[in-house]
Amino acid sequence: MKKLPNDIVLRPRFQLEILEKKTVLLKRFLTSTKEPFIINCLDNHVFIKYKKEKTHFWSPQLHLEIDETGTNSVKIYGFFGPNPTLWTLFMFLHLIVATLFIIFGIWAYVNNSLNKPYGLQIAFMVLLVIVWISLYIFGRIGKKKGKPQISELYGFMMEILSPEK
């Protein structure tokens, strides 16, 4: 796995090249029954996540895309991410905060242009910046809480990808 360029990456990505047939790798993933992982395959996509009893709010999952590059070689594109529902919620909240910030900014500009008081709008904009910073901090806390499970997911994936002994 190559090093990530910075520490702010929200959903770390990696690429691997393996000398193996795609069908063999997919079969290895499908037949694996190691606890506490659940593996779902859809075409050349593999999703690895934790069973419900081992998950917490910040539990990550691993998405792999396995593409053939030759007759006996594949390239694996993978990324770690939060539960898609949680990711969608966070993106939705960021969108709401950004939209409200723009609305209050326009409202403050219009009130300023009309020589009306605009302190309330500026106060709401400051509040929205604080909310955005809070969302960022919660995301960073979640990433820290999910790091041990990311290591477990990566180790499990490498165990499956290593050739049979």
Side-chain angles (χ1 to χ4, degrees), residues 46-64:
V46 178
F47 301 91
I48 306 171
K49 56 186 174 180
Y50 282 88
K51 288 190 174 180
K52 194 162 187 99
E53 58 271 5
K54 288 285 187 179
T55 60
H56 53 76
F57 188 71
W58 301 105
S59 287
Q61 70 177 26
L62 175 57
H63 173 215
L64 303 172

Side-chain angles (χ1 to χ4, degrees), residues 117-133:
Y118 54 91
L120 181 65
Q121 290 83 7
I122 298 296
F124 275 117
M125 289 174 70
V126 169
L127 178 67
L128 288 169
V129 168
I130 292 169
V131 169
W132 180 81
I133 291 170

